[in-house]
Amino acid sequence: MGLCCKSKLNDDVKSSQGITDLDDAKCTDVFCLLLFVLYWLVMVIIFLAGWATGDLASLVYGADHAGNRCGQKEFEQRPYIWYPRIAQDLAMQHYALVTRPWEVTLYGVCVSECPKLGDGPIADYEQAPPIMKSHWDVNLDTINAVNRCIPTMHRNTSQSVLCVKPTCQEAGKECFGGNVLLVPANTWLMQPPDYGICDRQMDLSISTETKQPNVGPILESALHFAAIAEETYESIAAHSWTIAAFGIGLPTILGFCWMVFLFLCAHVAVYLALALIVIFLLLGAVLCAYKGGVTDTYINDMVTHYNISSIIQESGYANVVENSLVQSALKIDEKMQDVYKWAGILLAVLLLLLLIFLCLMGKQIHRTASLVREGTKVIRNSPAIVVFPIFVASAQLIMIIFVGVAIAFLWSDPAQTYKQQLEWLGTALNSTASAVWSGQVVLPESTFSFLTTLGGFDRFQVTVIETVFMLFGALWTYWFLFAIQVTTVAGCVVYYYFVDWDTSGVKDQKFKDNQTNLVTITMFLHTLKNNLGTMAFGSLILASIEGLRLFMEFLDRQTQAAQNANALVLWILKCCKCFLFCFEKSVKMLTEFAYTFVQLENYNFCWACYESLQLLERSTGAVKQVTVNKIVQVVLFCIQSTVIPIASTVACYRVLILTDEEVQSGAATSLNYLGPIAPSVLVLILSYVMARSFAGVYEQTITSLTICVLYDREEFITPYITEGLYKAFDFEPDWKNRKVAKARKGTDENMKHPAKKFPMSKRKMIAGSVNKATQLHDYKV
């Protein structure tokens, strides 16, 4: 068992032994795994402490003015809480509304359904204080938002066309009696037949808005958001099956179609990706040069006279063209000409460098295409890795829900009366140095929260500390699960390249008892058995860097005034953010390489990273190959992550529109076309997750394949490489002339047949059902 940085390097430059036997793998980075487990134990303690002191029902159900929880016990038939005197409460707590809006206390009454304007007075059911009423009038419509009856806003707009001259007396028309400010007294309301006799027209728009008073800008935005959220939820619930079909089913089909395309047309895909980069840089350079005023007369005339909008106008879409992105993009801003000029020069230089780079990297581009094609074979050999990220994402979602519930417990309190909440709010506003629990919530003696010992902090500060601790744990766990995914995918590549007798160039006898059809499950279990500590170590590093980046973003937002006053502070913060961004990307790439070495040689994280750097340094052309691979991977990733979500979203929106009864009957309004937007947005998110799952697996597959090829070339006398990659990477001698031992017939002890593969089992291959002995090529020099 290795500690975090214990070395396991084999100093042999060339080896005839092959990679480490899967059955000889040991646990790596055990200390880091123990640290991860300890961290989660503390998270569980915080969760239990929050569960003991908090009231999760407060997030689902509100509490009335008497401290009763709506929807609970005797109020089970009254799950909604309505705030009848919200205007008075907000006026009385205007200071809290500005400084601590999340702690505003409202007088509530539990009701069976959210009231609407026009409903009769609602009776109060408790002995109310003298200032309260026994019955409450309903003054605004309300909607249900998480079992809270939220008042809604109503907007009404009317438009009228008035004629100022001639006057109503001169035209013999009835004078407009609207008594509207800024409207002359002798105007008259026009109808379409009257437009020809009016010499001076006035358009009048009147807008009214009925809303809750005293809410302030923050709470008004919250009420508006709650109304939108409720409508969005209803729309999504009504189209759940459609969302599942187009958000999960269609992206899965398109993802497999993309894999087939890459298998059949790998070279086309690679050169298409590189061509797209050239085209985008060229168009960007020309556009910036045109807007920067550095183009010649020919280009200016071409852009000016070859107007795309005229073509679209001929198709009857003139209104669309008038506000099109094409026209706004071609608009010249004299104030920004210098900026566009230098941007055009920069893009032109980048384009020139890219063209030179592509000319020099012809061999590497060909190898990348071969790796892309070979990657499809890896996925075909272990197809479950395509859906494996979905299970990892599900585990990450469960973890996020757990952490979210824990934080909700921490920030929730048992139900209190309206008077108690007002008293506590007054105390909180007058003093921020109160004791840990401020006397409002009395904890039982058996409460085991260790945070109560932090007497130097008030309750709010302790809750913030616990929340930050839980959030970092969530970030660490997220990257931990992602590391398991990456390592499992790398394991499938290693299995395909070195272990599987069906695909490896060398049928290594030590892997005779590791043959399996369930490659993904086998390598996943292998990772869980031996490498969880390494996953914990690598994910801790990534989580720490991610946490620093988030802290820098927070610091950047909090120091805007200082940055505006001092340019040095501005540059320091921007440089730190840039450094962390580049450092994070570098570490992520290095960890992808390292996780492949974890599967190759059972290294711990430190040594796997070191070996990755050493391999890139000593392998001829390795950096060039990795660079070309990364460029192609990024473009293919962007294509797949863009085309599939957009296609799925457009298809979903079109189906929802075409299946709408009012659209079919011709009675549709703008709301019929706006309604499907919420389900379509959810489809966009789900399809993006699915597309990213396919693209992420493929990207890691290519990365691991590259490491396997480079490591195979540098470390082993007899390479394991397959025939396609052997030719692409210029191994010598030719494939047919390489030195191999004479093929020997299989026996009952060593023969293998695909039907006899099982996961993770020590066994002898039984040949009773095989009629013909299998040829085993044991390549040796």
Side-chain angles (χ1 to χ4, degrees), residues 326-597:
V326 175
Q327 298 217 349
S328 61
L330 296 178
K331 183 179 179 180
I332 298 178
D333 186 357
E334 295 181 357
K335 297 180 180 179
M336 297 291 293
Q337 274 195 332
D338 289 339
V339 176
Y340 282 115
K341 178 179 68 176
W342 288 107
I345 294 174
L346 178 61
L347 290 176
V349 171
L350 290 177
L351 176 61
L352 179 61
L353 293 177
L354 177 63
L355 292 175
I356 296 174
F357 176 79
L358 295 180
C359 292
L360 297 177
M361 297 294 111
K363 181 180 295 185
Q364 282 73 22
I365 295 173
H366 174 71
R367 291 173 177 176
T368 299
S370 300
L371 288 170
V372 169
R373 180 178 175 84
E374 199 73 22
T376 60
K377 297 180 181 179
V378 174
I379 296 176
R380 185 175 59 180
N381 192 58
S382 49
I385 61 173
V386 174
V387 297
F388 184 73
I390 299 176
F391 295 98
V392 174
S394 301
Q396 291 171 334
L397 179 61
I398 294 173
M399 177 272 300
I400 292 173
I401 293 175
F402 170 81
V403 174
V405 171
I407 294 175
F409 271 130
L410 294 174
W411 289 95
S412 62
D413 294 320
Q416 295 176 298
T417 66
Y418 178 68
K419 182 179 179 181
Q420 287 176 324
Q421 294 182 61
L422 288 178
E423 291 175 351
W424 183 87
L425 179 60
T427 303
L429 291 175
N430 293 329
S431 175
T432 58
S434 58
V436 175
W437 303 115
S438 69
Q440 293 297 321
V441 181
V442 180
L443 299 179
E445 294 293 337
S446 59
T447 300
F448 45 83
S449 175
F450 69 93
L451 291 173
T452 55
T453 59
L454 300 178
F457 298 95
D458 62 24
R459 182 183 178 186
F460 178 79
Q461 292 172 328
V462 170
T463 306
V464 169
I465 294 173
E466 291 175 315
T467 302
V468 172
F469 188 90
M470 296 294 290
L471 289 176
F472 183 79
L475 192 61
W476 188 0
T477 307
Y478 174 87
W479 287 113
F480 176 77
L481 295 173
F482 180 77
I484 293 177
Q485 170 189 319
V486 173
T487 308
T488 301
V489 174
C492 293
V493 175
V494 171
Y495 187 94
Y496 170 89
Y497 193 98
F498 291 98
V499 180
D500 197 331
W501 285 358
D502 286 336
T503 57
S504 176
V506 173
K507 295 172 175 55
D508 199 327
Q509 292 297 311
K510 66 172 173 284
F511 297 126
K512 178 178 61 176
D513 54 354
N514 297 120
Q515 303 305 300
T516 177
N517 280 333
L518 306 178
V519 179
T520 305
I521 296 177
T522 299
M523 301 314 298
F524 172 64
L525 296 177
H526 179 78
T527 301
L528 295 184
K529 178 182 177 182
N530 301 291
N531 306 122
L532 285 183
T534 301
M535 307 300 97
F537 191 11
S539 57
L540 176 60
I541 295 175
L542 287 176
S544 300
I545 298 173
E546 194 78 21
L548 285 175
R549 286 197 62 197
L550 293 175
F551 175 75
M552 290 302 301
E553 291 292 340
F554 172 78
L555 191 63
D556 186 20
R557 293 179 180 272
Q558 296 298 316
T559 58
Q560 288 296 323
Q563 295 180 48
N564 294 332
N566 191 330
L568 180 60
V569 176
L570 174 65
W571 281 102
I572 290 177
L573 282 175
K574 300 303 181 185
C575 290
C576 290
K577 290 174 61 177
C578 182
F579 168 77
L580 286 176
F581 174 81
C582 298
F583 184 62
E584 180 189 24
K585 295 300 181 183
S586 301
V587 172
K588 284 183 179 179
M589 180 180 293
L590 183 60
T591 53
E592 292 175 359
F593 296 162
Y595 290 146
T596 305
F597 268 103

Side-chain angles (χ1 to χ4, degrees), residues 511-698:
F511 297 126
K512 178 178 61 176
D513 54 354
N514 297 120
Q515 303 305 300
T516 177
N517 280 333
L518 306 178
V519 179
T520 305
I521 296 177
T522 299
M523 301 314 298
F524 172 64
L525 296 177
H526 179 78
T527 301
L528 295 184
K529 178 182 177 182
N530 301 291
N531 306 122
L532 285 183
T534 301
M535 307 300 97
F537 191 11
S539 57
L540 176 60
I541 295 175
L542 287 176
S544 300
I545 298 173
E546 194 78 21
L548 285 175
R549 286 197 62 197
L550 293 175
F551 175 75
M552 290 302 301
E553 291 292 340
F554 172 78
L555 191 63
D556 186 20
R557 293 179 180 272
Q558 296 298 316
T559 58
Q560 288 296 323
Q563 295 180 48
N564 294 332
N566 191 330
L568 180 60
V569 176
L570 174 65
W571 281 102
I572 290 177
L573 282 175
K574 300 303 181 185
C575 290
C576 290
K577 290 174 61 177
C578 182
F579 168 77
L580 286 176
F581 174 81
C582 298
F583 184 62
E584 180 189 24
K585 295 300 181 183
S586 301
V587 172
K588 284 183 179 179
M589 180 180 293
L590 183 60
T591 53
E592 292 175 359
F593 296 162
Y595 290 146
T596 305
F597 268 103
V598 169
Q599 294 286 19
L600 278 171
E601 298 293 359
N602 194 223
Y603 289 148
N604 58 56
F605 183 78
C606 289
W607 202 254
C609 292
Y610 175 77
E611 276 291 282
S612 300
L613 294 175
Q614 288 295 309
L615 179 64
L616 295 178
E617 179 182 351
R618 67 173 180 259
S619 182
T620 304
V623 176
K624 297 179 181 178
Q625 189 61 56
V626 170
T627 303
V628 174
N629 288 353
K630 182 57 65 174
I631 293 175
V632 173
Q633 287 172 6
V634 169
V635 178
L636 293 179
F637 181 90
C638 293
I639 294 174
Q640 187 173 357
S641 301
T642 303
V643 174
I644 292 179
I646 291 177
S648 302
T649 303
V650 171
C652 176
Y653 183 81
R654 292 293 299 169
V655 168
L656 293 177
I657 291 295
L658 295 177
T659 55
D660 191 298
E661 295 180 357
E662 295 182 355
V663 173
Q664 293 177 351
S665 63
T669 64
S670 59
L671 295 178
N672 294 95
Y673 294 94
L674 294 176
I677 290 180
S680 300
V681 170
L682 183 56
V683 167
L684 178 65
I685 297 173
L686 290 176
S687 57
Y688 175 77
V689 172
M690 295 296 298
R692 187 176 180 183
S693 172
F694 279 86
V697 167
Y698 206 85

